[in-house]
Amino acid sequence: MEVKAVEFVRKAHEALHNPRLQEALRRTEAKFVQGRREALRHLEDPDAVRRHATAIRDTVLRQLDAWLIHFERQAQARGATVHWAEDGREVARILTDIARRHGVRKAVKSKSMVSEEVGLNAALEAAGVQVVETDLGEYILQLAEEPPSHIVAPVLHKTRDEIADLFARHHGRPRKTDTAALTREAREFLRPHFLSADMGISGANFLVAETGSVLIVTNEGNGRLATTLPRVHVAITGIEKVVPTLEDAATLLRLLPRSATGQDITNYVSLLTGTKQAGDADGPEHFHIILLDNGRSRLLGSELEPILRCIRCGACMNHCPVYQSVGGHAYGWVYPGPMGSILTPLLAGLERATPLPNASTLCGRCAEVCPVNIPLADLLRELRHVQQVRGLRPRLETLSLRLWRALVLRPRLYHAVMGMAAWLLTRLAGARGRLCRLPGAAGWFAHRDLPAPAGETFLAAWARRRGKP
């Protein structure tokens, strides 16, 4: 997927004026925010579970190399082949080599954000492999030739009528608008692909080092069909997804679906271990696991390492006032919302995502709801600092900050300028007592206004009350 994060401001402006998207985002907020709140009430002590989950993720990150090697040994002992990929090009090379070696002509995919990160579909299709998305949301997006707009609900930006039109055009059947009928029609078209595919591709919610297993959660059952029916299964995931034990994975599973969709548990939790053995009713004859770095290891030991705790639940974006206003496409890459505003600059390059560290009000709601306590607002501030050090901030902003610094280092001048500003802004506000516009800040004032200042600075008021000039 091409990185278009530098277009955030323009795309955000378009999103704000898209009434269909705004309606979809209002529904999302009502569903996911309330759902998470209700689901967490079913836990006896949610904060204790979150602290435990955070400790698990930090334990892994402190010794990531050791846990990955342990996972590799256990997976190999059960018949899987583990590959290590430095970047997306290596993933594409490894996967197309596997496809060529096994004579693969068709691949069915379960949902995988990493495959979007490395542009996997295009690489496979260039190698002559037909790729069919089988998650219902991803299938709709594949027909529409669009990227996902949410990591949990990738097609939330589309209405039922739009999907009905899409199905009628691609399936060649009479147009339906009933949700159950649309779902049944998608199932009828996807089922033959599961039966005829040579390869199944999935992501991984967690890698369990204790057993060498790949754990995936789904609500549609397509994950089980994609990973057990084809003779070749390839799981592709980031290196940070490993957890030490099954018990650790169970702890994280108490939080993942609750934070993502407000469910106590997803409909399907699949633990995929090794290849099909004698007597097994199903399972792949060949099981490959590709572990992708793509810049993740550079974060270990840095101030930005906590972002590697992320379990991709989407809670931060569901609660973010910026995401709730502009949706996921505005962020211009695979990962939207607060976690995406950090991951995209780190994985794709800060120069290719300069607006994203600023795509936040820093209100802190994202950090409050993060199930593994990632200090998202602090990480965004750190990225802004890095931008400043590397000269990636806008010139006008840099000049303004230098002017401000020069001002605050001269107290007499500072108090004089602030006094003039308070007097002037009070006059501009007039009888209404609110500022509705200022020169050079039309965009900011387009959606909000400000109460007028008191007419004098705090220090001036304090001096007046004490009877000093």
Side-chain angles (χ1 to χ4, degrees):
M1 182 176 172
E2 186 180 356
V3 182
K4 297 183 177 178
V6 292
E7 300 175 15
F8 176 81
V9 175
R10 179 181 63 79
K11 290 188 173 183
H13 184 78
E14 292 173 358
L16 288 169
H17 294 85
N18 182 334
R20 285 186 175 181
L21 176 62
Q22 293 300 314
E23 176 57 29
L25 291 171
R26 276 191 287 274
R27 290 199 305 268
T28 302
E29 180 183 4
K31 178 182 177 183
F32 289 144
V33 173
Q34 293 172 16
R36 172 191 171 275
R37 187 183 305 126
E38 291 298 321
L40 283 180
R41 287 176 181 162
H42 299 164
L43 292 177
E44 186 176 344
D45 189 345
D47 288 337
V49 180
R50 290 174 68 188
R51 288 194 296 273
H52 188 194
T54 304
I56 292 170
R57 299 299 292 139
D58 282 344
T59 297
V60 167
L61 295 177
R62 278 196 294 271
Q63 294 182 306
L64 185 59
D65 53 347
W67 287 116
L68 285 169
I69 291 171
H70 188 60
F71 169 79
E72 180 183 34
R73 288 174 180 160
Q74 294 303 314
Q76 289 174 337
R78 289 162 175 79
T81 302
V82 178
H83 307 263
W84 300 79
E86 180 70 27
D87 53 27
R89 281 183 295 184
E90 282 201 12
V91 171
R93 179 186 59 75
I94 293 167
L95 190 58
T96 52
D97 182 59
I98 293 170
R100 193 175 298 113
R101 202 180 328 142
H102 294 290
V104 173
R105 305 297 299 274
K106 180 190 290 185
V108 285
K109 279 183 64 193
S110 180
K111 189 164 172 284
S112 164
M113 299 309 293
V114 165
S115 72
E116 299 278 351
E117 180 182 324
V118 301
L120 195 63
N121 287 12
L124 280 173
E125 287 165 0
V129 177
Q130 180 188 2
V131 183
V132 181
E133 298 284 353
T134 63
D135 174 273
L136 181 57
E138 296 284 345
Y139 175 64
I140 292 167
L141 292 177
Q142 187 176 35
L143 295 182
E145 299 181 352
E146 292 180 14
S149 64
H150 191 287
I151 62 174
V152 174
V155 75
L156 68 81
H157 58 289
K158 283 202 170 298
T159 64
R160 186 167 49 187
D161 279 337
E162 289 176 314
I163 295 168
D165 292 339
L166 199 63
F167 277 15
R169 189 162 67 250
H170 285 272
H171 293 167
R173 291 188 179 182
R175 185 177 185 273
K176 306 177 182 67
T177 54
D178 177 68
T179 301
L182 288 168
T183 306
R184 186 165 52 249
E185 183 173 305
R187 184 182 297 120
E188 289 169 0
F189 271 80
L190 286 173
R191 190 57 57 95
H193 289 301
F194 285 118
L195 296 172
S196 59
D198 309 294
M199 176 190 284
I201 300 172
S202 73
N205 292 96
F206 302 111
L207 304 169
V208 184
E210 178 182 41
T211 59
S213 306
V214 172
L215 189 154
I216 62 173
V217 295
T218 66
N219 275 320
E220 301 172 13
N222 65 304
R224 290 189 172 182
L225 292 171
T227 58
T228 57
L229 284 180
R231 54 192 169 86
V232 182
H233 172 208
V234 182
I236 308 168
T237 187
I239 56 175
E240 79 279 15
K241 292 294 186 69
V242 67
V243 296
T245 66
L246 286 169
E247 187 174 345
D248 292 330
T251 297
L252 292 164
L253 281 179
R254 299 181 75 191
L255 294 170
L256 175 57
R258 286 182 166 90
S259 303
T261 53
Q263 296 171 277
D264 289 345
I265 192 69
T266 50
N267 292 338
Y268 301 93
V269 177
S270 302
L271 202 59
L272 309 162
T273 308
T275 53
K276 181 179 181 180
Q277 301 296 307
D280 288 348
D282 53 30
E285 298 169 13
H286 308 279
F287 185 16
H288 296 266
I289 303 168
I290 304 177
L291 303 176
L292 172 68
D293 185 332
N294 206 28
R296 290 164 170 81
S297 61
R298 287 198 306 268
L299 303 178
L300 294 171
S302 74
E303 296 188 25
L304 296 161
E305 180 187 284
I307 193 62
L308 295 178
R309 293 181 201 153
C310 181
I311 58 174
R312 308 292 193 269
C313 66
C316 63
M317 60 191 69
N318 294 337
H319 290 75
C320 173
V322 176
Y323 181 91
Q324 289 171 354
S325 299
V326 303
H329 283 165
Y331 291 82
W333 202 44
V334 185
Y335 305 111
M339 53 81 82
S341 294
I342 299 166
L343 271 179
T344 302
L346 294 177
L347 299 183
L350 195 53
E351 294 82 357
R352 303 172 73 190
T354 47
L356 293 191
N358 306 294
S360 168
T361 63
L362 299 183
C363 65
R365 291 183 72 189
C366 50
E368 287 180 12
V369 299
C370 176
V372 286
N373 293 304
I374 300 173
L376 291 155
D378 292 341
L379 300 187
L380 286 166
R381 286 193 195 91
E382 176 61 21
L383 279 177
R384 294 183 187 186
H385 172 68
V386 174
Q387 281 185 323
Q388 182 67 32
V389 171
R390 293 170 57 181
L392 297 174
R393 306 290 296 181
R395 286 187 178 183
L396 182 60
E397 179 186 297
T398 302
L399 183 63
S400 300
L401 287 173
R402 285 177 179 170
L403 185 62
W404 177 260
R405 180 176 180 274
L407 196 61
V408 298
L409 289 175
R410 295 165 176 80
R412 287 182 180 275
L413 179 61
Y414 174 82
H415 294 315
V417 171
M418 289 300 104
M420 290 174 60
W423 178 85
L424 179 61
L425 291 175
T426 303
R427 266 77 190 154
L428 286 175
R432 288 184 301 179
R434 301 193 71 82
L435 289 162
C436 300
R437 66 175 65 90
L438 278 178
W444 200 91
F445 280 98
H447 301 282
R448 60 183 77 81
D449 53 18
L450 281 176
E456 60 183 348
T457 65
F458 170 78
L459 287 177
W462 181 251
R464 180 169 50 76
R465 288 188 62 177
R466 297 183 66 187
K468 293 182 179 179

